[in-house]
Amino acid sequence: MDFVMPDFRLAAPELFVAGMSLVILMVTSFATTRARSAAFWLCELALLGALLLTLFSGDVQRSLTFSGMYMSDLFGSFLKILVCLSVAIVLQYGRAYMADRKIDSPEYYLMVLFATLGMMVLISASHFVSMYMGLELMSLSLYGLVAIDRDNPRSTEAGMKYFVLGALASGLLLYGMSMLYGATGTLEIHEIAQRIYERSANDLVVVFGLVFVLVGIAFKLGVVPFHMWVPDVYHGAPTAVTLLVSSAPKLAAFAMAFRVLVLGLFDLAEHWQSMLMLLAMASIILGNLAAVAQTNIKRMLAFSGISHMGFMLLGLLSGVVKGEGGTYAVNAYSSAMFYAVAYVMMTLASFGMVILLSRAGFEAENVDDFKGLNQRSPWFAGMMLIVMFSMAGIPFFVGFFAKLSVLQAVIAAGNISNQPHYYWLAVIAVMMSVVGAFYYLRVVKVMYFDDATDQSPIVATLGMRTLLSANALSIAIVGLLPNWLMQICAFTLLH
């Protein structure tokens, strides 16, 4: 077999992050007195370098390298830029939080960087082997991060629960991939699509493989009924880690779902579309109803995150209508992508606010901890109001347009296919959004209409205050001007 030299330029961002991980390992081994600070800044430098290399090293056209295991395209590049940016923001938000609790070890920054590397590999994977490698690198790093506060029983329990359930989901995913390999004779995603299109694969085995692969994807997205880990992990992990788990990995999971289902298993859409409908509806209903009963804001945001992922799936499943495609399908997929990006923006700001109000020995985890925030800081009460309004889908914030674009895609699918169940999907989604508005507005109510039980001043660095303000204001600005982001999502999907 002839050896073909890989085009390392296409994978330069991942190689740079891997190289910087080794640099951090070496530097922190010798710099014993300032190891934490060195690890933090080197980690941020690695993310900035990866972001710039992603901008300038990739091709506009879709290219394959590493024997077809790695794909470079605009879709992947855009998501990798967002991942690097999100993780850099996570580190900035969480630096003081982790330092106050003395859990900001160099290993923390290394695991964050390894998780980022896993997400980048997962986003660019065009082969089941590289996809599984990226997924496991990301997952194993996140398991360790969730349990990083080893003296806290809640954190270690969450880490153990996440590990056990994650290992089970990985096993099911691997089993599904092996069935697809057995039926098609290949692990390369585009080759699988070709074999299924040519009807040269065993249909029954392929459908069974699809079911197991879908379970793995659903677990990573945290949708019902594979959501059990979400509230416990969000609640048990240190808030800076919760911030990471709830944000950038969702973009990687979206990329994985799109590449596997749309690019690889499109001719099985009649099977996975109906399964996604059930997952999406169950997630939207259960997520919103369970969030109403929560008094812990981290658990409330966990259940609301489940419902948001259900909305994202609505956009993904609406892109497949028999006999139609082209612009309509791109609009549906871009609505799902826009929703994922908007969700990451909102969840960064929401958990950033939780970190802002926390301090050493005190976790601002309950909704009551936000009581009277307007009296303590009208500015940050306003920032939290923007975030909650956006998550509730109130005009004119980015969350409103994310929901609107997804619902438009669902209704368009109903119009084209003349199937009434699409309309029912849209009606249920809107009704559950109204239910969801209750618990988001409850936070706004306690901030503005309840007296503060904690009158202590809000202590945070200037960088933290500036970044959090910029994060919240970006939600409002993108909400006022959503078209440019929607057009970027559509453009990257087309190329």
Side-chain angles (χ1 to χ4, degrees):
M1 186 174 71
D2 295 332
F3 174 75
V4 178
M5 182 65 75
D7 186 352
F8 292 107
R9 179 181 55 86
L10 297 177
E14 286 84 352
L15 295 173
F16 180 73
V17 172
M20 285 300 293
S21 301
L22 298 178
V23 171
I24 293 173
L25 194 62
M26 293 296 292
V27 169
T28 53
S29 299
F30 292 103
T32 51
T33 54
R34 302 180 63 83
R36 291 177 170 84
S37 181
F40 170 79
W41 288 112
L42 284 171
C43 205
E44 290 285 20
L45 180 64
L47 293 167
L48 177 63
L51 191 153
L52 294 175
L53 283 170
T54 306
L55 267 178
F56 298 113
S57 67
D59 289 338
V60 175
Q61 298 299 322
R62 187 170 292 167
S63 305
L64 293 170
T65 186
F66 291 101
S67 303
M69 296 179 74
Y70 180 94
M71 179 185 289
S72 173
D73 57 3
L74 280 180
F75 170 72
S77 297
F78 179 57
L79 287 180
K80 282 192 280 187
I81 288 169
L82 293 178
V83 162
C84 291
L85 197 58
S86 303
V87 176
I89 292 172
V90 167
L91 288 177
Q92 288 288 346
Y93 277 154
R95 189 184 183 193
Y97 177 94
M98 299 296 280
D100 286 344
R101 289 148 187 82
K102 303 189 188 318
I103 48 177
D104 62 332
S105 60
E107 292 79 13
Y108 162 69
Y109 295 107
L110 264 178
M111 284 194 284
V112 170
L113 212 52
F114 282 135
T116 308
L117 179 59
M119 291 177 223
M120 295 171 76
V121 172
L122 184 57
I123 287 170
S124 288
S126 60
H127 192 281
F128 278 155
V129 171
S130 53
M131 183 171 284
Y132 192 73
M133 285 171 59
L135 184 68
E136 285 306 292
L137 183 57
M138 177 187 79
S139 300
L140 289 171
S141 304
L142 293 179
Y143 301 150
L145 284 167
V146 169
I148 197 166
D149 190 3
R150 290 176 298 179
D151 297 329
N152 185 340
R154 202 173 65 188
S155 176
T156 50
E157 181 188 340
M160 183 59 70
K161 191 176 289 184
Y162 193 20
F163 171 72
V164 171
L165 293 175
L168 179 64
S170 290
L172 294 172
L173 177 68
L174 202 57
Y175 189 57
M177 288 177 173
S178 68
M179 292 183 84
L180 288 174
Y181 175 70
T184 61
T186 179
L187 289 168
E188 205 274 317
I189 291 174
H190 284 82
E191 280 293 316
I192 290 173
Q194 186 66 26
R195 305 283 168 84
I196 294 173
Y197 175 74
E198 292 168 352
R199 297 290 177 187
S200 59
N202 186 312
D203 286 348
L204 185 63
V205 180
V206 167
V207 172
F208 268 104
L210 164 68
V211 172
F212 286 107
V213 168
L214 202 58
V215 170
I217 294 172
F219 180 86
K220 295 305 169 190
L221 287 171
V223 293
V224 176
F226 310 102
H227 67 287
M228 293 78 77
W229 61 275
V230 179
D232 291 340
V233 168
Y234 278 35
H235 187 197
T239 307
V241 176
T242 307
L243 179 59
L244 176 65
V245 174
S246 63
S247 55
K250 302 298 185 191
L251 296 173
F254 169 75
M256 178 185 173
F258 180 78
R259 290 201 190 282
V260 172
L261 298 178
V262 178
L263 300 184
L265 304 174
F266 187 81
D267 287 305
L268 300 176
E270 61 178 315
H271 299 288
W272 61 254
Q273 194 181 33
S274 55
M275 288 187 266
L276 286 190
M277 278 185 190
L278 291 174
L279 295 178
M281 272 301 91
S283 301
I284 291 171
I285 293 171
L286 189 142
N288 280 305
L289 293 179
V292 169
Q294 304 303 316
T295 55
N296 181 290
I297 196 160
K298 288 170 74 175
R299 295 186 78 86
M300 187 195 89
L301 290 172
F303 281 108
S304 82
I306 293 168
S307 72
H308 283 297
M309 288 300 101
F311 264 98
M312 193 273 288
L313 287 184
L314 283 185
L316 202 59
L317 68 90
S318 300
V320 187
V321 176
K322 198 170 184 179
E324 294 290 337
T327 306
Y328 157 73
V330 171
N331 286 339
Y333 299 139
S334 62
S335 72
M337 190 171 173
F338 181 85
Y339 203 101
V341 175
Y343 173 72
V344 170
M345 290 172 65
M346 294 185 294
T347 200
L348 283 172
S350 59
F351 282 109
M353 280 299 303
V354 177
I355 289 177
L356 179 76
L357 297 185
S358 300
R359 56 184 182 273
F362 174 73
E363 301 286 337
E365 290 186 345
N366 296 313
V367 174
D368 285 349
D369 295 327
F370 284 76
K371 276 185 175 178
L373 180 61
N374 185 49
Q375 298 163 16
R376 298 172 65 192
S377 172
W379 175 259
F380 284 108
M383 296 299 104
M384 190 63 172
L385 178 141
I386 290 174
V387 178
M388 291 294 105
F389 275 17
S390 181
M391 283 194 158
I394 292 174
F396 289 89
F397 300 101
V398 68
F400 167 75
F401 288 102
K403 281 188 167 67
L404 181 66
S405 62
V406 163
L407 291 174
Q408 283 176 333
V410 174
I411 292 169
N415 289 336
I416 292 170
S417 64
N418 200 24
Q419 294 289 329
H421 57 262
Y422 282 104
Y423 301 117
W424 279 112
L425 281 175
V427 169
I428 294 171
V430 171
M431 289 172 63
M432 286 297 110
S433 292
V434 175
V435 174
F438 168 77
Y439 55 83
Y440 293 124
L441 294 180
R442 186 176 59 187
V443 178
V444 176
K445 179 253 178 190
V446 300
M447 287 193 305
Y448 283 92
F449 298 104
D450 289 3
D451 292 330
T453 52
D454 180 6
Q455 297 289 350
S456 60
I458 296 173
V459 180
T461 62
L462 178 62
M464 170 75 179
R465 289 167 178 265
T466 306
L467 187 62
L468 186 53
S469 301
N471 191 171
L473 289 174
S474 68
I475 291 169
I477 293 168
V478 177
L480 291 172
L481 304 165
N483 285 339
W484 65 272
L485 183 56
M486 286 186 179
Q487 287 171 358
I488 289 175
C489 293
F491 183 76
T492 57
L493 283 166
L494 281 170
H495 295 79

